[in-house]
Amino acid sequence: MSSSWIKLLLFVVLLVSSFATKATAQDGEKLRSFLEDLLQQRQPPAEQQSRPQSKNQETGRPDNKAMQRRVPFGRSEIQLSYAPLVAITAPAVVNVYAARTQTERRSPFEGDPFFEQFFGRQFGQGRPRTQSSLGSGVIVDASGLIITNNHVIEGMDQIKVGLSDGREFESQVVLRDERADLAVLRIDSGEALPILPFAETDQLLIGDLVLAIGNPFGVGQTITSGIVSAIARSQVGVSDFGFFIQTDAAINPGNSGGALVDMEGRLVGINTAIFSRSGGSNGIGFAIPANMVRAVVAQAKGGADAFERPFIGASFDVVTAEMAESLGMRRPSGAIVTNLTDNGPAARAGLRVGDVVLSINAQRVEHPDALGYRLATLNVGDEVDMDVFSRGELVTIKLRLAKPPRESRTCQSCFRRKYTIFRCHNCPSYAADIAATAHSGRRKRRGYHRY
């Protein structure tokens, strides 16, 4: 072999060796990067560490709640799983099966003496028919207290609860509240059950990650994920309650009464309704906040069979843009007083017709539904601080919440207006208010479904 061929062969060997060395170095770098992601969290880039803090628009100070959240960075965090969170929360979510038996009328002439003399008394009698309802529930007390939606069990004779491990128990209704669409059940399992702790929903932010857990279409326990799309959503129209958490987590028939949980495994809300033209999930679901659920459960634990809302003796309406301009307000907000009960708690505290309630206990009030929600989560006898815009001035009044008056006939404390949110819940006019509300369309709006 000539010397030229030997030189060419040596050149090729050296070239291949150099490429192999570079490839090995690159593979080693990839391996080190993978191990760093696998064994420990990679530090965020310097530009993310030095990112300026977001500030509260009102105070100009850093928003600590917002800074406690961050978007995921690095492949390792994007590939994280919800499995550990599901493992600790799913056992506390149950299936609720409700049923009732009713006789189906087969003929409009049933019971007519003329036809019975020819065909006998059995003419037109229908056969018993079983009507069933399917929903979900959440265990909120280890002794067996379960929260669900009232519309899941309304009018039903038999209610069974199925645990995540397959066991089923008969349940009894402890408390029902049609206005909030909540019901508390009790089962006796003979052992301590897993529960979901309540979250503080006032700390919930739009964009927070949440999981929806329930039994859609009866296929079995199902987990869906999403974010908080909106807070304090009103005018949903599925019940008298008007303060919902909106989420894009998939909610379908059978999810009603199920859990909406945060990333710390706490109960954020009870899934109640969706907006849909077809009846399926379109990514617009609504949940009753956990603060409201906590108040209902607390009264159930205290032995109440109906949820009692504090009474202040006032009626409120929405502040329109025209009202805000005439009152000297920069923008429409709050709940304007339209009527007061003589010598009621609101009147004694100094509230006057035309005053606008802007906040209660430092929590902003954007509309009358928000005010009703804030008061409903408090207890009879509590003293609250109300920031009120009165006669062009911002004042703070202290108001003590009273027990609702119980009058046997027409209650002069109840005002049948659009936002009569502080009526006596035992007053006969309550049924008339419900009927008027349903007729006006506020109770059930087109496109909204309760499941």
Side-chain angles (χ1 to χ4, degrees), residues 393-405:
E393 297 181 355
L394 183 62
V395 297
T396 300
I397 66 172
K398 292 186 178 295
L399 187 149
R400 187 169 297 279
L401 305 181
K403 193 177 183 66

Side-chain angles (χ1 to χ4, degrees), residues 30-312:
K30 290 181 180 179
L31 178 60
R32 284 192 296 271
S33 176
F34 171 76
L35 291 176
E36 288 178 0
D37 286 342
L38 181 65
L39 299 178
Q40 63 183 3
Q41 291 186 352
R42 181 180 295 177
Q43 295 297 321
E47 60 271 16
Q48 290 191 14
Q49 293 179 346
S50 60
R51 183 178 298 168
Q53 294 183 344
S54 62
K55 295 184 177 181
N56 188 288
Q57 296 180 356
E58 296 181 356
T59 64
R61 298 178 180 177
D63 191 345
N64 294 328
K65 290 192 296 183
M67 292 307 296
Q68 292 175 359
R69 281 95 163 162
R70 61 173 174 79
V71 297
F73 55 83
R75 179 178 298 179
S76 61
E77 292 197 1
I78 295 176
Q79 293 177 341
L80 292 176
S81 172
Y82 291 122
L85 179 62
V86 172
I88 62 175
T89 57
V93 182
V94 301
N95 300 331
V96 178
Y97 309 97
R100 66 179 176 185
T101 302
Q102 58 184 10
T103 303
E104 184 180 20
R105 188 175 181 181
R106 301 178 60 183
S107 172
F109 302 107
E110 177 184 354
D112 191 309
F114 176 79
F115 288 95
E116 285 185 352
Q117 65 179 337
F118 294 100
F119 302 101
R121 292 186 176 274
Q122 302 299 322
F123 172 75
Q125 291 185 0
R127 296 179 180 178
R129 184 172 63 91
T130 301
Q131 181 181 357
S132 61
S133 174
L134 175 67
S136 304
V138 181
I139 305 174
V140 292
D141 189 85
S143 64
L145 280 184
I146 296 170
I147 189 75
T148 186
N149 284 132
N150 178 68
H151 71 260
V152 173
I153 65 165
E154 189 173 17
M156 298 299 173
D157 303 325
Q158 302 175 351
I159 304 172
K160 287 187 177 182
V161 171
L163 303 185
S164 60
D165 59 10
R167 291 180 295 168
E168 293 187 358
F169 298 92
E170 295 287 344
S171 69
Q172 61 177 357
V173 179
V174 178
L175 182 150
R176 293 175 57 247
D177 188 77
E178 183 181 3
R179 292 171 61 186
D181 195 18
L182 289 173
V184 180
L185 310 177
R186 183 187 296 277
I187 63 173
D188 184 11
S189 64
E191 62 183 36
L193 298 174
I195 67 170
L196 282 184
F198 291 108
E200 179 54 55
T201 48
D202 287 336
Q203 298 179 0
L204 197 65
L205 298 179
I206 297 175
D208 282 353
L209 292 171
V210 289
L211 297 181
I213 309 177
N215 182 22
F217 299 106
V219 299
Q221 192 173 80
T222 302
I223 318 294
T224 57
S225 65
I227 65 170
V228 175
S229 305
I231 299 174
R233 184 67 78 198
S234 62
Q235 302 298 316
V236 173
V238 295
S239 68
D240 276 2
F241 188 75
F243 198 92
F244 290 89
I245 299 170
Q246 182 180 329
T247 179
D248 67 345
I251 298 175
N252 288 289
N255 273 108
S256 276
L260 190 70
V261 301
D262 62 12
M263 294 297 101
E264 297 182 18
R266 301 173 303 181
L267 182 65
V268 170
I270 295 296
N271 300 321
T272 300
I274 64 172
F275 179 83
S276 175
R277 299 297 186 188
S278 62
S281 175
N282 284 341
I284 305 178
F286 302 96
I288 300 174
N291 284 0
M292 183 68 190
V293 179
R294 183 192 290 113
V296 173
V297 172
Q299 292 197 19
K301 289 182 178 179
D305 58 359
F307 182 62
E308 186 175 69
R309 292 165 174 80
F311 176 75
I312 69 171

